[in-house]
Amino acid sequence: MPAPTPADYRFAPALTARLLGLTLVASAVVVLVATVAVAYWDLHTVVLLVPALLVLAVLVSMMAWSNGYVVRLTEDGYQVRRIRGAGVPAAHWKDVEDAVTTHVHGSPCVVLRLRDGRTTTIPVETLNVDREAFARELQERLTHGQGHRRL
């Protein structure tokens, strides 16, 4: 059986849109404060260039940030990025004892329990994938990575 190709999972579009919206609102507030400061203290209008460049830098970094993967499943193991409180960010499949589905704070999650007692928690709602399909893919990779065969 050939080794599976890496699978990358990104943030769900709804989550990305929500984060982008919050960033735009915060950027607008920064520009508004700078504009009021220029008008109130009769500052030179070049002062507005600073928050404008800051907003541009934030938006560019946000776009670059949203293009990367959040969860990567490979032949050897997994990597989890950009999920606060996920636990262990990467491990080999041979180090994973099992994978279980559960709810954490009301959100469906997959928890990878490592042999040394540590865990990785992946909130499936944050990913752009059907949760059952993700759980199946994860289980298949775990089975393959640990050297087991399907009956």
Side-chain angles (χ1 to χ4, degrees), residues 1 132 135-151:
M1 177 174 160
E132 277 79 24
R136 275 192 307 275
E137 172 82 15
L138 189 64
Q139 193 63 44
E140 286 174 14
R141 292 199 181 253
L142 178 58
T143 301
H144 181 271
Q146 291 182 336
H148 300 291
R149 291 191 207 169
R150 297 186 102 183
L151 295 176

Side-chain angles (χ1 to χ4, degrees), residues 36-116:
V36 168
V38 165
Y40 184 74
W41 286 300
D42 197 26
L43 300 173
H44 197 278
T45 54
V46 78
V47 172
L48 289 177
L49 189 59
V50 174
L53 290 175
L54 177 67
V55 167
L56 183 63
V58 167
L59 291 176
V60 167
S61 65
M62 185 90 171
M63 296 309 260
W65 179 78
S66 67
N67 286 334
Y69 66 88
V70 178
V71 176
R72 173 174 279 170
L73 306 178
T74 65
E75 177 183 354
D76 299 326
Y78 68 89
Q79 290 179 317
V80 178
R81 304 185 321 181
R82 301 183 184 125
I83 296 180
R84 193 173 28 162
V88 180
H92 293 283
W93 293 124
K94 295 203 183 286
D95 298 331
V96 178
E97 185 173 329
D98 64 357
V100 296
T101 57
T102 187
H103 282 76
V104 176
H105 302 295
S107 295
C109 296
V110 172
V111 177
L112 301 168
R113 297 189 291 200
L114 303 179
R115 297 187 192 285
D116 63 6

